[in-house]
Amino acid sequence: MTTTTGQLEEAGAILAEESARFAGFGWMRGTSGNLSAVLSRDPLRLAVTASGHDKGELTSSDVVLVDGDGAAVDGGKPSAEAELHARVAALTGANAVVHVHTVASVAMGRREPGGIVFKDLEMLKGVGQPAHDTEVTLPVIANSQDMKVLGDRLEAARDERMPAVVVAGHGLYVWGDSPRQARHHTEVVEWLLELALTER
Amino acid sequence: MTTTTGQLEEAGAILAEESARFAGFGWMRGTSGNLSAVLSRDPLRLAVTASGHDKGELTSSDVVLVDGDGAAVDGGKPSAEAELHARVAALTGANAVVHVHTVASVAMGRREPGGIVFKDLEMLKGVGQPAHDTEVTLPVIANSQDMKVLGDRLEAARDERMPAVVVAGHGLYVWGDSPRQARHHTEVVEWLLELALTER
Amino acid sequence: MTTTTGQLEEAGAILAEESARFAGFGWMRGTSGNLSAVLSRDPLRLAVTASGHDKGELTSSDVVLVDGDGAAVDGGKPSAEAELHARVAALTGANAVVHVHTVASVAMGRREPGGIVFKDLEMLKGVGQPAHDTEVTLPVIANSQDMKVLGDRLEAARDERMPAVVVAGHGLYVWGDSPRQARHHTEVVEWLLELALTER
Amino acid sequence: MTTTTGQLEEAGAILAEESARFAGFGWMRGTSGNLSAVLSRDPLRLAVTASGHDKGELTSSDVVLVDGDGAAVDGGKPSAEAELHARVAALTGANAVVHVHTVASVAMGRREPGGIVFKDLEMLKGVGQPAHDTEVTLPVIANSQDMKVLGDRLEAARDERMPAVVVAGHGLYVWGDSPRQARHHTEVVEWLLELALTER
């Protein structure tokens, strides 16, 4: 199945809008972070936001089509992190991946390098977890510039019940069935981290 | 007395606008929280925001008509919490109920599980309380997924002088004579909680 | 000299815009705070924002003409605090007074009830103070519902070099030559308080 | 080479837009801070935002042409700090300089007067630094009203790898190849400072 230019542009428009939202929250300072959406599964194709742009100023064209290794299919310069987006999509079945640099995720990753434990919070339902009596861990993995290494760590550490991982000294990876669900998961995880940050 | 479609839409438009405001404050992350307005008293009928939507993107149609038990009258899928909205409206006589998930309310509910005491604050006048020499308690009740249980706790714990309750590990319920007054009560209670959060 | 309806409306439009700005910062939660501008000096006449309104939704008509005692000249319901606005204008010669309820001012008023001392800060130049080697005190006065008492306290405590006073448990009064200068003084004082709040 | 009015206006429009962005973040409270862009190198000419204005309300005309000493070339009143902007441009080769007053920079300058050390942070790549295993220092220099003194301190203290300096009790100077890159460097440095502020 071939991805058409129209499909890519459509995904680009959605990702641009989602990026602007996250940039407005201060979660994509500088040119940090990137978002992706799955366009096909066989072969795996994703639209990933282009590298080096201000994430509050993307247009529907600022998007690159990549394959399951995160390599550009039709030209353009994807972020090096496109490889990790593709791997998360393959591993989890998610159709959308959000990567943002939030202060709370990096601060909490430093305080709790072994994973951040949440319990008895209604907000956990927003990531499909029980609100009562159950410890839920948001995994924290060590950072790397090697996306293969980072992907292995993510695969080893992830908790299937939790659609997110903190990369220490780096930021958040969050995923969902759609860009909107990935947005909601991101907001919920960041809320949990901001709460945890008040508790010291 | 029958509620017309026009009345429901009108209430939906107001609730959508109020929700977008609260979402803009970061108090309805993910799809959390819900708002309601009383449409009639005999029988009790409320417009409640529909479940599962992004609270910054509601339209005037994203609202469900419910009865005094929080059950849908004309179809649609109300939040499970609609039952608690209806009970608050019946119990307090309030015409509007706001339920938001703020970080400050959950953080303070953890620090002060027996209730959060305020005193000597001009802002207390914003919820009808004296600004001087009087301790005012914002009750904190334990969370539950059973709305009957939660309603019983709210009824037992509420202070008639204070139009709000913190649900531990969950968020805030606030009410008022109108959506606008409920908004102002919510802003005042959240301000009090944010102040309390600085004091440690 | 008589104040015309046109002059009052013009002042109302400016005060509405300034109020919306401060409300957007979260400094006028609920219906708290009020702003004023001097329209004439002999006799003293001020435009003061009307009481009980949401400060983010004022129109140019939501303003009341008051005299030097804060009493309405042509009808309307001024805030009780209009009396203090008039007194500040008479006492300091300021043409605009801002009263906002910021969390930082109340938090710092509790920590430093004897006055908040600043030193060696470039930002002090924004309220006409030296940036080096000089302690500048932002006075803190006890709150009261009696505007005469509050005015006496403000008069006794104010430092002529500092166009602002913190009312403990209440908020900030700030003044300037014009609504724009009063805005800038307010922003500077709030910045100083937010800095102080990080230092514990 | 002569700078035309058109070139100055064009730069003024860009600087006005960048200023409004920073003002929206709360980094230019009162009338604080200023921005500049290099228009020519031989002789050195910069467009600098005019002094005394609200940085959220600049127009394309609110800009002054200055020479390598920060003196006005065609009239207008540049900020005294224009001299430091010119010196930073000459010293570093940067084409754009941002000076903002952020709470985090002043708070961290007080905590770490000898310089603020960062390590193992992906965000360091946003200012051209390694994300791993390398200590990167953001220099802190003492404040002065004498721009010659301040420039000497900046020249002596700056780390060539870091396009930014904290002026103690004052704020941030940040630079880049273009106004957009200077913006991104500013956002990255401020993010690093906000993270550091959570760590105590």
Side-chain angles (χ1 to χ4, degrees):
Chain A
M1 200 179 83
T2 310
T3 304
T4 65
T5 309
Q7 286 170 312
L8 186 61
E9 278 255 339
E10 193 183 348
I14 291 168
L15 295 181
E17 198 179 328
E18 295 294 319
S19 293
R21 172 188 291 262
F22 292 131
F25 294 158
W27 301 352
M28 304 189 88
R29 292 291 193 216
T31 62
S32 69
N34 28 66
L35 272 63
S36 66
V38 171
L39 297 179
S40 71
R41 280 281 161 189
D42 190 10
L44 182 59
R45 293 288 182 267
L46 300 92
V48 185
T49 51
S51 186
H53 290 58
D54 191 305
K55 297 308 187 295
E57 296 176 341
L58 297 181
T59 69
S60 58
S61 313
D62 295 323
V63 74
V64 180
L65 184 68
V66 303
D67 63 19
D69 298 320
V73 173
D74 293 323
K77 186 193 164 202
S79 165
E81 290 163 329
E83 182 181 340
L84 191 53
H85 282 253
R87 184 151 176 188
V88 169
L91 178 69
T92 67
N95 290 318
V97 181
V98 169
H99 170 50
V100 286
H101 290 200
T102 72
V103 168
S105 64
V106 177
M108 284 308 303
R110 288 190 164 188
R111 288 191 196 171
E112 306 287 351
I116 306 151
V117 179
F118 300 101
K119 193 183 164 189
D120 289 333
L121 289 165
E122 185 79 12
M123 209 67 164
L124 287 167
K125 291 166 68 179
V127 282
Q129 299 308 311
H132 300 273
D133 303 323
T134 310
E135 288 199 344
V136 178
T137 300
L138 175 63
V140 178
I141 62 174
N143 194 22
S144 173
Q145 299 307 305
D146 183 329
M147 289 304 126
K148 174 74 173 62
V149 170
L150 208 49
D152 289 349
R153 287 178 185 160
L154 186 147
E155 187 166 345
R158 89 171 169 113
D159 180 336
E160 285 192 25
R161 298 171 304 167
M162 174 64 86
V165 163
V166 169
V167 183
H170 189 154
L172 268 180
Y173 275 84
V174 190
W175 49 91
D177 287 342
S178 65
R180 181 172 273 111
Q181 196 195 52
R183 176 213 299 171
H184 292 154
H185 287 170
T186 304
E187 289 189 8
V188 166
V189 170
E190 175 67 10
W191 186 98
L192 292 167
L193 290 164
E194 290 176 8
L195 174 67
L197 204 53
T198 68
E199 297 188 343
R200 161 125 102 179
Chain B
M1 201 179 81
T2 310
T3 304
T4 65
T5 309
Q7 286 171 312
L8 185 61
E9 278 255 339
E10 193 182 348
I14 291 169
L15 295 181
E17 199 179 329
E18 296 294 318
S19 293
R21 171 189 291 263
F22 292 130
F25 294 158
W27 301 352
M28 304 188 87
R29 292 292 193 214
T31 62
S32 68
N34 28 66
L35 272 63
S36 65
V38 170
L39 297 178
S40 71
R41 281 280 162 190
D42 190 10
L44 182 60
R45 293 288 181 267
L46 300 93
V48 185
T49 51
S51 186
H53 289 58
D54 191 305
K55 297 307 186 296
E57 296 176 341
L58 297 181
T59 69
S60 57
S61 312
D62 294 324
V63 73
V64 181
L65 184 68
V66 304
D67 63 18
D69 297 320
V73 173
D74 293 323
K77 185 192 164 204
S79 165
E81 290 163 328
E83 181 181 340
L84 191 54
H85 282 254
R87 182 150 176 189
V88 169
L91 178 70
T92 68
N95 290 318
V97 181
V98 169
H99 171 50
V100 285
H101 290 200
T102 72
V103 169
S105 65
V106 177
M108 284 308 304
R110 287 190 164 188
R111 288 191 195 171
E112 306 288 350
I116 306 151
V117 178
F118 300 102
K119 192 184 164 190
D120 289 333
L121 289 164
E122 186 78 13
M123 209 67 164
L124 287 167
K125 291 165 67 179
V127 281
Q129 299 308 310
H132 299 274
D133 303 323
T134 310
E135 289 199 345
V136 178
T137 299
L138 176 63
V140 177
I141 62 174
N143 194 21
S144 172
Q145 300 306 307
D146 182 328
M147 290 304 126
K148 174 73 173 63
V149 170
L150 208 49
D152 289 349
R153 287 177 184 162
L154 186 146
E155 186 165 346
R158 89 171 167 114
D159 179 336
E160 285 193 23
R161 298 171 305 166
M162 175 64 87
V165 163
V166 170
V167 183
H170 188 153
L172 268 180
Y173 275 85
V174 190
W175 49 90
D177 287 342
S178 65
R180 180 172 274 112
Q181 196 194 53
R183 176 212 301 172
H184 292 154
H185 286 169
T186 304
E187 289 189 9
V188 166
V189 169
E190 176 66 9
W191 186 98
L192 292 166
L193 290 165
E194 290 177 9
L195 174 68
L197 204 53
T198 69
E199 297 188 344
R200 164 126 100 175
Chain C
M1 199 179 82
T2 311
T3 304
T4 65
T5 310
Q7 286 172 311
L8 185 61
E9 279 254 340
E10 193 183 348
I14 291 168
L15 295 181
E17 199 178 328
E18 296 294 319
S19 293
R21 171 187 291 261
F22 292 130
F25 294 157
W27 301 352
M28 305 189 87
R29 292 291 193 214
T31 62
S32 69
N34 27 67
L35 272 62
S36 65
V38 170
L39 297 179
S40 72
R41 280 281 162 189
D42 189 11
L44 182 60
R45 293 288 181 268
L46 299 93
V48 185
T49 51
S51 187
H53 289 59
D54 191 304
K55 295 309 186 295
E57 296 177 340
L58 297 182
T59 69
S60 58
S61 312
D62 294 323
V63 72
V64 180
L65 184 69
V66 304
D67 62 18
D69 297 320
V73 174
D74 293 323
K77 185 192 164 205
S79 163
E81 290 163 329
E83 182 182 340
L84 190 54
H85 282 254
R87 184 151 176 189
V88 169
L91 177 70
T92 68
N95 290 318
V97 181
V98 169
H99 171 49
V100 285
H101 290 199
T102 72
V103 168
S105 65
V106 176
M108 284 307 305
R110 287 191 164 186
R111 288 191 196 172
E112 306 288 350
I116 306 151
V117 179
F118 299 102
K119 194 185 164 188
D120 289 333
L121 289 165
E122 186 78 12
M123 209 66 164
L124 286 167
K125 291 166 68 180
V127 283
Q129 299 308 310
H132 300 274
D133 303 323
T134 310
E135 288 199 345
V136 178
T137 300
L138 176 62
V140 177
I141 62 174
N143 194 22
S144 173
Q145 299 306 306
D146 182 328
M147 289 303 127
K148 175 74 174 62
V149 170
L150 207 48
D152 289 348
R153 287 177 185 162
L154 186 146
E155 187 166 344
R158 89 171 169 114
D159 179 336
E160 285 193 24
R161 299 171 304 167
M162 175 63 88
V165 163
V166 169
V167 183
H170 188 154
L172 269 180
Y173 275 85
V174 190
W175 49 91
D177 287 343
S178 65
R180 181 172 273 112
Q181 196 194 53
R183 176 214 298 171
H184 291 154
H185 286 170
T186 304
E187 289 188 9
V188 166
V189 170
E190 176 66 10
W191 187 98
L192 292 166
L193 290 164
E194 290 176 8
L195 174 67
L197 204 53
T198 69
E199 297 188 344
R200 164 127 98 177
Chain D
M1 200 179 83
T2 312
T3 304
T4 65
T5 309
Q7 286 172 312
L8 186 61
E9 278 254 340
E10 195 183 346
I14 291 169
L15 295 181
E17 200 179 326
E18 296 294 319
S19 293
R21 172 188 292 261
F22 292 130
F25 294 158
W27 301 352
M28 305 188 88
R29 291 292 192 213
T31 63
S32 69
N34 27 67
L35 272 62
S36 66
V38 171
L39 296 179
S40 71
R41 280 280 162 190
D42 189 11
L44 182 59
R45 293 288 181 269
L46 300 92
V48 186
T49 51
S51 187
H53 290 58
D54 191 304
K55 295 309 186 295
E57 296 176 341
L58 297 182
T59 70
S60 58
S61 312
D62 294 325
V63 74
V64 181
L65 183 68
V66 304
D67 63 18
D69 297 320
V73 174
D74 293 323
K77 186 193 163 202
S79 164
E81 290 163 327
E83 182 181 339
L84 191 52
H85 282 253
R87 183 152 176 188
V88 169
L91 178 70
T92 68
N95 291 318
V97 181
V98 169
H99 171 49
V100 286
H101 289 199
T102 71
V103 169
S105 64
V106 176
M108 283 309 303
R110 288 191 164 188
R111 287 192 196 171
E112 306 288 351
I116 305 150
V117 178
F118 300 101
K119 193 184 163 189
D120 289 334
L121 290 164
E122 185 79 12
M123 209 66 164
L124 287 167
K125 292 166 68 180
V127 282
Q129 299 308 310
H132 300 274
D133 303 323
T134 309
E135 288 199 345
V136 178
T137 301
L138 176 63
V140 178
I141 61 173
N143 194 22
S144 172
Q145 299 306 307
D146 183 329
M147 290 303 126
K148 175 73 174 62
V149 170
L150 208 49
D152 288 348
R153 287 177 185 161
L154 186 146
E155 187 166 345
R158 88 171 169 114
D159 180 336
E160 285 192 24
R161 299 171 305 169
M162 175 64 86
V165 163
V166 169
V167 183
H170 188 154
L172 268 180
Y173 275 85
V174 190
W175 50 90
D177 287 342
S178 65
R180 180 173 273 112
Q181 196 195 52
R183 177 214 297 171
H184 292 154
H185 286 171
T186 304
E187 290 188 9
V188 166
V189 170
E190 176 66 10
W191 186 98
L192 292 167
L193 290 164
E194 290 176 8
L195 173 67
L197 204 53
T198 68
E199 297 188 344
R200 165 127 98 177

